[in-house]
Amino acid sequence: MEHLLSVEQARKIILSNFKKNKSTTIPLEQANGKVLAADVFAIFNQPPFSNSSMDGFAVKAEDTRHATPDQPVELVVIEDIAAGYHPKSQINNGQSSRIMTGGPLPPGANAVIPVEKTNFSDRYNQRARPSSVLIYKPANRGDNVRPEGQDIHQGEKIFQQAHKLRAQDLGSLAAQGIAEVEVVKNPVIALLSSGDELLKPGDPLVPGKIFDSNTITIKTLLESFGASVINLGVAKDDVRDIKAKLDLINDLDLDLLISTAGVSVGVFDLIRDVILDNGKLNFWKVNMRPGKPLTFGEFQNVPFIGLPGNPVSAFVSSLVFVKPVIQHLLGIDQKEELFKTVVDEEISSDGRESYLRAEIRIVNGVYHARLASHQGSANILSLVYANALLIIPAGVKSVPEGKTVDFFWI
């Protein structure tokens, strides 16, 4: 009987050959999508000073206590305060300062009256500072004021190690005056596709040929996980061409080498032979569907993963095996978050651990799933229709309609 490794066994063998990448310090503007190598703490309070959340007049709230539209309170205007201006005058009883959004709250003030609640609602943008203002509505302490430290306090943790930086995160760091961040170096992966049947998209289609979809699919997928991918191109089914393209890695500092196709048991699956002549292979087949002919080893001391050639098999194998490697190198928790869904049709499997493309929708607050198109491993369009992969455990050959199974989003 053919010996197949379980998915979990295969993943453990692969991950045991990798350790977290070293860190590097880079400019903030280059950090989008990078993973933090260390915790980041606030250097100072944010905002660093109390400021106005709107255009209006900074006041002592108690001065406005009896203000009404019929009997407004009149206050003397002693200063204009724009954003970026440092107030020079203290607000005393009976006084106010005209203040713009973001302007620092002057000493003595404890509230801001919106311009719409004054007699300047239709002429607030006049350049000359008014000598006085009429207040039509009382204010409470703190009204329309963004207090110092409202967002975060000095010394408070902003981000945790292994956090993947997004646009809003970069903005938060910039607001702290942080110009550089320590991040984990992106894993560098070389990708080789193979097959005499493959044409470059854009070339004329000829009988017996197909267009190469694996290269752009897998390259883009791995980049979305956080890897930098170097495309080695498409090798012909020829040992010399495969060897020549693989030898390109001699000048590269790689974390991983990946191929699609060429590692199964076919007559022209020659990548396997080249790897064995210049390295080693640790296993051949995994008890999963799609993606059974997965290979792991090393080539010229670089870890190697051989993905299946069928587009869906390569995609799913990348999610199940390559994504955890990239996350491991980046220091990210590798556990995929699983959810539960009810299946709305009977599902058949062959007993291998199966990852089936599905469309998940919510009905009355419950996830429901139907298979997305045909489940053949060459049907890449099914990945377009699917938004999740259902996980059918090893040994299970039939899942009745209405049964609950695990899934993860794609």
Side-chain angles (χ1 to χ4, degrees), residues 184-401:
V184 182
K185 288 184 178 179
N186 273 24
V188 180
I189 298 175
L191 174 64
L192 175 70
S193 295
S194 70
D196 285 345
E197 75 278 14
L198 298 180
L199 294 173
K200 183 179 179 181
D203 289 348
L205 183 61
V206 297
K209 303 287 187 178
I210 60 173
F211 291 113
D212 171 28
S213 62
N214 274 344
T215 297
I216 192 166
T217 302
I218 302 306
K219 180 177 185 292
T220 305
L221 186 63
L222 302 187
E223 288 172 342
S224 75
F225 300 155
S228 298
V229 181
I230 298 170
N231 180 15
L232 298 180
V234 178
K236 298 182 181 300
D237 290 325
D238 176 83
V239 168
R240 286 173 297 180
D241 190 44
I242 294 170
K243 181 68 164 58
K245 284 187 166 55
L246 288 178
D247 280 344
L248 294 173
I249 74 169
N250 292 332
D251 299 323
L252 304 174
D253 184 13
L254 293 180
D255 294 290
L256 178 62
L257 169 65
I258 291 178
S259 74
T260 63
V263 294
S264 191
V265 293
V267 174
F268 296 104
D269 288 330
L270 301 177
I271 289 180
R272 173 195 60 206
D273 299 333
V274 176
I275 295 293
L276 283 172
D277 287 342
N278 299 268
K280 62 182 181 180
L281 294 176
N282 290 344
F283 61 81
W284 292 94
K285 295 176 182 176
V286 180
N287 189 29
M288 68 179 290
R289 167 182 174 237
K292 177 180 174 182
L294 182 88
T295 310
F296 177 70
E298 65 177 48
F299 176 78
Q300 295 181 2
N301 298 316
V302 176
F304 166 77
I305 294 178
L307 300 175
N310 280 318
V312 176
S313 299
F315 185 93
V316 172
S317 296
S318 294
L319 286 170
V320 175
F321 298 109
V322 183
K323 182 179 179 181
V325 169
I326 294 171
Q327 292 177 321
H328 186 73
L329 290 167
L330 289 170
I332 299 173
D333 180 13
Q334 303 121 43
K335 196 161 187 181
E336 190 76 58
E337 187 175 7
L338 299 181
F339 302 88
K340 299 284 187 183
T341 182
V342 175
V343 295
D344 289 344
E345 59 184 309
E346 183 179 355
I347 295 175
S348 298
S349 181
D350 65 358
R352 288 179 286 168
E353 184 169 322
S354 299
Y355 295 81
L356 305 182
R357 289 139 276 166
E359 296 177 78
I360 303 288
R361 59 196 178 96
I362 299 176
V363 179
N364 296 325
V366 177
Y367 289 127
H368 284 256
R370 296 192 72 88
L371 296 184
S373 184
H374 184 264
Q375 293 292 304
S377 58
N379 183 13
I380 193 170
L381 194 61
S382 62
L383 288 171
V384 176
Y385 297 142
N387 59 5
L389 290 181
L390 306 184
I391 303 176
I392 310 301
V396 176
K397 293 189 175 183
S398 179
V399 179
E401 179 183 347

